[in-house]
Structure formats: C-alpha cells, structure tokens
Amino acid sequence: MAKRGIVLLNLGSPDSTEVKDVKKYLMQFLMDERVIDYPYILRLLLVGGIIAPFRAPKSAEAYKSVWTKEGSPLIVLTHHLQQALQARVEEPVEMAMRYGNPTMESAFDKLIEREPGLEEVIAIPLYPHYAMSSYETAVEHAKAVHKKKKYTFSLSFVKPFYNEPHYIHALTESIKPYLQQEYDQVLFSYHGLPQRHMKKADPTKSHCLKVENCCEVASPAHATCYRHQCWTTTQLLAANLNIPANKVGFSFQSRLGQEEWLKPYTALRLQELPKEGVKKLVILCPAFVSDCLETLEEIAMAGKESFLHSGGESFTVIPCLNVHPLWVQSLATWIKDFAEGRKEMILKEVL
C-alpha cells in the first residue's frame, strides 16, 4: 500500500488583525494574477497604490469583529476540520493556505516528517465550485511548489465537488434544522466573480453569459463555469429540502471594484427583499465550507443590519459545514475511494 498523505487547501487569512498584517495579506492575495488578472504593472499600481493601503484599515476592523481567542476563524475551523478528518483516516492530514500561513511548503514538509518515504499526496481544495480565483489558483500554486522543491511524491487533486452526492447530502442535512421555522425565502449567496472571469474560463468562448439561460443549456463550458456550478448546487439543495421554487433566492456577494460582477448582488438583494414582501429570510453561503470573514462579518453582521434596516423582520444565517460529521465523512470517503482504486473524484496527478 502506497505511503500517502492528505493536504486540505483553503484560502488563508492575515496573521493578525494589525493593519500591517492585513495589508501584507491583501497584497499577496490581490496580486495573484488569477484573482486580479490585469498585467503585472497595472495590478501592482492598483493593488499596491490604491486597494491595499485604503482597504487594509477597514478590513482590519472587520477581522477584529470576528477574530477569536484562537485566531482567525478560517484558520481555526480548517484546523478543526484537519483534526476531525485525521480521526477518521489512517493517512497523515495537514492543512495549507493559498495565502498566508501555514504555507503549502510547510504542509508538504510536515507530511514527509510524519510519513518517511511518502509516495503520494492527495490535495483537497476546499472549494466546491471551480473558479480561476479560488480552485484553480490553489491547484496551480500547489503544483508550482511541488515542482520548485523537487518533491518526489506524486500529487493528486480532488475535483470541484459542487454536485458530488456525499457533499450534497452533508449540506442538505446541515441545513434542515434551520428550515423548521417559518420563512419567506431561502437565499443562496455565493462569492461573486467578475463577469470577465466567466468568459475567460469558458473553453468554448461562446457559451457563458452569451447563450440565453446558459447555466441550464448543456455545454463543455460547465466543467469550469462557476455560475453553472453554483446554480446546480442550489437546484440540488432546493430539491432535497423541498423548498418551493418561489422561495428560492440566488445571489453573489463580496463584489470588489466597479466593474460588472455576477448578478444579482447579495448586498442589493438584502435591501430590496423586504420591499418585495420577504420579511423572514434564511440565508446560507454554499461557496464556503468554513465560516470566515465573508460569512461572519459580511453576511451575519453587515448583511443582517442591512436587511433589518430595510424592513426585514427576521434574518437567520445557516453556518457553513465547518466540522459537520457528514462533511468530515464525505472527505474520508473520497480518500478511501482513492485508496481502493476508485478515482472518480480525482482530477489529475502531478509526478
């Protein structure tokens, strides 16, 4: 049996809520060419000269509002997930962040220390949906570190799991308790993307945002189409939970800048919904498997305030999967399937 290790890949977080650490994190994150895909010099001027200096103090305050005694919620919850998964599998499990700490290199090195003679590593990007600025950059970064450090183990990646049955079942069961109450709408809020990212990721260059109801019309573009995959997750969950079609909402949050992003925008919908008769709202963020700044501050705090101020009466936020037992079991199942030769969830292998 091959000597194998597991790495959980997540986005990352500043080392602290100090402005200097937040600025450092924003520079690393936003200078990624797959996040802001402008030419390097333009990106440097925009991020280094405008976005990071002005955004860092505001972001630092936002992080302070959700920071825990243990540290960043995203880092802490990913660590808890690592521990929960480790309790279910024999392979050593480590975690790495695309930006900040712990690094990809440190995760690989820890696996080698724990498993001398390591032959293969399964990397699990904790992004259900494919996007250039999340799943793709995590995969490409892991591959680059693997190549640069000349590691001898093989490296495989779990596919985006937006429609994988175990994941959908885990998410369904985590949501059910929150739908026992009366509600006017369940809003599925996903992290947003610039529309140009959608067009750039479309291998056909003729489908995404060009064909009417493009997410519902079969196309090879769907393999890398973030919007289609978010729409599919929503449809599967709504069906599993028996949510009436007229009570299902779908939107995108976390817009940055003034260009066109995927619509509708969550921030605007939270202001509009009360005027449309939606007074009791249930909201969840399926693009995230771990609660973080975007779910805890942007939605649970700022979003709630906006909705109630606009005339809403109740605002219920459903937590991310975090360490839900069925979610942990999903990850363990994928690893077991790989070990037993069933590789449906594996995307590629890097030697």
Side-chain angles (χ1 to χ4, degrees), residues 19-34:
V19 173
K20 62 179 179 60
D21 285 334
V22 175
K23 183 178 179 181
K24 178 182 177 182
Y25 172 76
L26 289 175
M27 285 295 297
Q28 185 183 9
F29 173 37
L30 298 176
M31 281 300 295
D32 185 341
E33 63 182 358
R34 288 182 172 83

Side-chain angles (χ1 to χ4, degrees), residues 124-337:
I124 306 178
L126 296 174
Y127 308 102
H129 314 88
Y130 187 97
M132 181 172 71
S133 57
S134 57
Y135 183 92
E136 183 180 305
T137 190
V139 167
E140 293 304 318
H141 178 65
K143 288 164 60 177
V145 172
H146 182 272
K147 181 179 180 179
K148 180 181 179 181
K149 299 296 294 185
K150 296 182 171 61
Y151 291 112
T152 58
F153 55 78
S154 65
L155 178 61
S156 300
F157 299 91
V158 165
K159 295 177 182 179
F161 43 89
Y162 66 97
N163 61 350
E164 198 280 329
H166 293 92
Y167 161 73
I168 293 297
H169 175 62
L171 197 47
T172 297
E173 293 303 311
S174 75
I175 295 169
K176 276 184 180 178
Y178 296 89
L179 300 187
Q180 303 306 309
Q181 61 186 300
E182 182 182 349
Y183 62 86
D184 297 322
Q185 185 178 110
V186 178
L187 181 60
F188 294 79
S189 176
Y190 295 85
H191 197 289
L193 286 180
Q195 290 188 11
R196 60 187 166 80
H197 278 210
M198 301 297 302
K199 297 173 182 176
K200 190 171 184 177
D202 179 359
T204 72
K205 304 304 178 186
S206 61
H207 185 81
C208 292
L209 303 179
K210 294 182 179 181
V211 173
E212 186 177 358
N213 297 324
C214 55
C215 289
E216 303 172 48
V217 177
S219 170
H222 291 171
T224 54
C225 179
Y226 179 76
R227 188 173 183 272
H228 163 78
Q229 294 181 8
C230 292
W231 177 83
T232 299
T233 298
T234 301
Q235 296 303 305
L236 291 171
L237 292 172
N240 283 359
L241 293 161
N242 296 313
I243 304 173
N246 64 344
K247 290 191 174 185
V248 176
F250 181 64
S251 62
F252 297 92
Q253 63 186 84
S254 309
R255 182 188 180 200
L256 176 65
Q258 298 302 313
E259 67 179 300
E260 291 290 302
W261 280 43
L262 293 177
K263 296 179 179 178
Y265 300 139
T266 298
L268 290 179
R269 291 303 293 145
L270 292 178
Q271 296 173 10
E272 296 167 347
L273 285 171
K275 300 176 180 63
E276 298 170 9
V278 176
K279 302 293 186 178
K280 299 177 180 179
L281 184 68
V282 176
I283 186 169
L284 66 152
C285 305
F288 306 91
V289 298
S290 302
D291 276 304
C292 54
L293 185 71
E294 287 82 358
T295 65
L296 298 172
E297 192 276 336
E298 182 181 355
I299 298 299
M301 294 181 183
K304 178 179 181 179
E305 181 180 358
S306 176
F307 179 76
L308 297 180
H309 181 74
S310 299
E313 296 174 1
S314 69
F315 186 90
T316 301
V317 181
I318 299 178
C320 295
L321 283 168
N322 295 323
V323 291
H324 192 285
L326 289 175
W327 167 227
V328 179
Q329 185 57 48
S330 297
L331 296 171
T333 297
W334 300 340
I335 294 166
K336 181 181 178 182
D337 285 349

